[in-house]
């Protein structure tokens, strides 16, 4: 055959073209790429054509701990494609002068939320009591109340009709909420039409919330310890609570008294609530239930609130605020009254470094009063 092709190239080319046409006609459409394969560590789904997930039946929620997803991509790694040039000290320069968070490499709707098609589940209130349970691919109308260890909610959506979207009870640990959308219907929540918490950690151990699209709640991510990374928190919904007062709104809130560490890294945290409708902070570190300690706020896009950041007050220690962009998209000083309040300059281990406004101005906080 090789001698025939070399002696008559035109005939060989015609034969190859005919065989290719016959192959396409006989094979039919390729159904192996009908659903993308989304590795648990991937920030986005790979293009179609990679090995497909099984197409028979809806996604299940009863995967045991031995089948649980692998660890997410490290939240400590900052995107190299969008990082600013290094400063003379070696610290990455804050990303500024961008039209939007996404333009500066921060999370937005395109980099958060589920990566696979979802199946509707009208669960209402659902108590989870099975250790190691994995909920994947569910479009939930209701809420999850976690009385179990090592539960994972991944590639799912929750439209809450309760006081929270996901709540971890005291005495339990290991909750992970990844690549999911957590929202509610404005005006339909139990707190006089409002919904208080998207993810609430009532326990004494850390939880992970990553690559999630969070909106509508009053206090979106509420916890003393946890690893919050690569999330897009936006469109908080103000409401008058059952006590007849405007509910304070915060994209992230911690009441102090924590025994572990709270890491808030590479998130977009927006609080557009009006000052007359209960705006509190984009990040609220409050000493409501005890001393605030061991909090890292690093490489976030932060905008809105009365103050964009409440720093923990005079007793706070181990608070590290580094390489953040405080955006002027709602107020000239990021928050309605300013960038930061209640910052404890003299607290042991407190660090304020390389934080800038979105127009490039460096920020130096005033001491807590």
């Amino acid at each position: 055959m090789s001698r025939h092709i070399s002696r008559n190239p035109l005939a060989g080319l015609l034969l190859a073209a005919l065989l290719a046409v016959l192959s396409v006609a006989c094979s039919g459409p390729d159904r192996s790429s009908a659903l993308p394969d989304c590795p648990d560590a991937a920030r986005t789904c790979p293009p179609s054509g990679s090995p497909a997930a099984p197409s028979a039946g809806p996604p299940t929620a009863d995967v045991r701990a031995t089948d649980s997803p692998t660890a997410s991509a490290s939240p400590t790694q900052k995107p190299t494609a969008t990082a600013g040039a290094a400063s003379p000290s070696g610290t990455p320069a804050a990303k500024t002068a961008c039209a939007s968070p996404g333009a500066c490499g921060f999370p937005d709707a395109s980099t958060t939320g589920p990566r696979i098609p979802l199946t509707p589940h009208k669960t209402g209130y659902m108590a989870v009591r099975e250790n190691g349970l994995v909920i994947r691919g569910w479009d939930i109308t209701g809420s999850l109340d976690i009385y179990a260890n090592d539960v994972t909610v991944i590639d799912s959506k929750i439209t809450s009709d309760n006081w929270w979207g996901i709540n971890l009870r005291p005495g339990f640990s290991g909750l992970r909420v990844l690549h999911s959308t957590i929202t509610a219907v404005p005006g339909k929540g139990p707190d006089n039409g409002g919904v208080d918490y998207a993810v609430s950690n009532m326990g004494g151990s850390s939880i992970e919330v990553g690559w999630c699209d969070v909106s509508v709640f009053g206090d979106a991510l509420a916890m003393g310890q946890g690893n919050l990374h690569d999330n897009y928190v936006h469109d908080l919904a103000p409401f008058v609570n059952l006590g007849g007062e405007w509910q304070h709104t915060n994209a992230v809130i911690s009441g102090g008294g924590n025994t572990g560490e709270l890491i808030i890294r590479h998130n977009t945290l927006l609080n557009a609530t009006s000052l007359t409708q209960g705006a509190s902070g984009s990040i609220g570190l409050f000493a409501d239930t005890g001393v605030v300690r061991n909090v890292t706020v690093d490489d976030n896009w932060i905008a809105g609130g009365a103050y964009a950041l409440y720093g923990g007050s005079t007793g706070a220690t181990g608070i590290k605020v580094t390489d953040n962009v405080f955006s002027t998209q709602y107020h000239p000083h990021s928050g309605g009254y300013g960038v930061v309040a209640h910052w404890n300059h003299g607290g042991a281990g407190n660090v304020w470094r390389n934080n800038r406004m979105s127009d490039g101005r460096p920020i130096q906080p005033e001491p807590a009063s």
Side-chain angles (χ1 to χ4, degrees):
M1 177 64 73
S2 61
R3 289 192 298 272
H4 175 72
I5 291 176
S6 63
R7 291 175 61 184
N8 193 345
L10 178 61
L13 291 173
L14 290 175
L15 177 60
L18 178 60
L19 290 175
V21 171
L22 290 174
S23 173
V24 171
C26 294
S27 63
D30 179 11
R31 302 186 185 277
S32 65
S33 59
L35 289 177
D37 180 26
C38 294
D40 299 315
R43 296 186 63 175
T44 58
C45 289
S48 60
S50 57
S55 58
T60 59
D62 58 350
V63 181
R64 299 302 185 267
T66 54
D67 299 320
S68 60
T70 58
S72 301
S74 172
T76 62
Q77 296 175 350
K78 301 176 185 178
T80 56
T82 56
S87 68
S89 65
T91 303
K95 298 177 284 289
T96 57
C98 299
S100 66
C104 255
F106 290 97
D108 60 14
S110 69
T111 60
T112 56
R115 305 163 296 173
I116 61 176
L118 306 181
T119 302
H121 286 75
K122 293 185 178 181
T123 64
Y125 169 83
M126 179 177 172
V128 175
R129 303 182 184 276
E130 181 179 349
N131 290 338
L133 182 70
V134 175
I135 295 176
R136 184 197 301 268
W138 282 27
D139 186 351
I140 295 172
T141 301
S143 63
L144 302 177
D145 202 3
I146 312 297
Y147 293 86
N149 297 317
D150 302 320
V151 172
T152 298
V153 180
I154 186 169
D155 288 316
S156 293
K157 179 180 180 180
I158 295 176
T159 304
S160 175
D161 59 3
N162 206 328
W163 294 86
W164 60 77
I166 302 174
N167 182 46
L168 180 66
R169 292 287 178 169
F172 299 96
S173 63
L175 174 65
R176 295 194 298 165
V177 184
L178 309 173
H179 300 288
S180 294
T181 294
I182 309 167
T183 189
V185 179
K188 299 295 184 181
D191 193 356
N192 200 30
V195 183
D196 290 73
Y197 308 112
V199 181
S200 170
N201 181 8
M202 299 175 66
S205 64
S206 181
I207 70 174
E208 180 185 2
V209 182
W211 302 288
C212 288
D213 185 324
V214 181
S215 62
V216 176
F217 299 88
D219 287 322
L221 303 177
M223 61 198 69
Q225 45 272 318
N227 184 359
L228 312 178
H229 63 88
D230 302 286
N231 300 293
Y232 175 44
V233 182
H234 60 103
D235 292 308
L236 304 182
F239 60 93
V240 176
N241 59 30
L242 291 173
E245 300 177 341
W246 283 105
Q247 179 74 15
H248 289 172
T249 59
N250 297 272
V252 176
I253 184 171
S254 176
N258 57 304
T259 56
E261 184 178 11
L262 177 60
I263 299 172
I264 306 168
R265 176 168 286 132
H266 198 248
N267 304 277
T268 297
L269 304 173
L270 309 179
N271 186 355
T273 306
S274 165
L275 294 176
T276 61
Q277 293 181 308
S280 185
S282 288
I283 299 177
L285 307 178
F286 302 111
D288 293 338
T289 58
V291 174
V292 179
R293 58 173 71 90
N294 301 330
V295 180
T296 296
V297 180
D298 176 63
D299 189 34
N300 300 280
W301 178 282
I302 303 168
Y307 287 91
L309 170 66
Y310 286 82
S313 197
T314 53
T317 59
I319 314 300
K320 301 177 180 64
V321 183
T322 57
D323 296 311
N324 297 283
V325 176
F326 288 86
S327 171
T328 60
Q329 63 194 89
Y330 303 129
H331 306 286
H333 302 289
S334 194
Y337 299 129
V339 172
V340 56
H342 305 300
W343 173 254
N344 183 16
H345 271 274
N350 291 352
V351 176
W352 182 280
R353 184 180 63 244
N354 199 33
N355 300 294
R356 296 182 177 272
M357 302 294 290
S358 55
D359 58 12
R361 288 175 290 157
I363 301 165
Q364 290 299 326
E366 296 180 1
S369 57

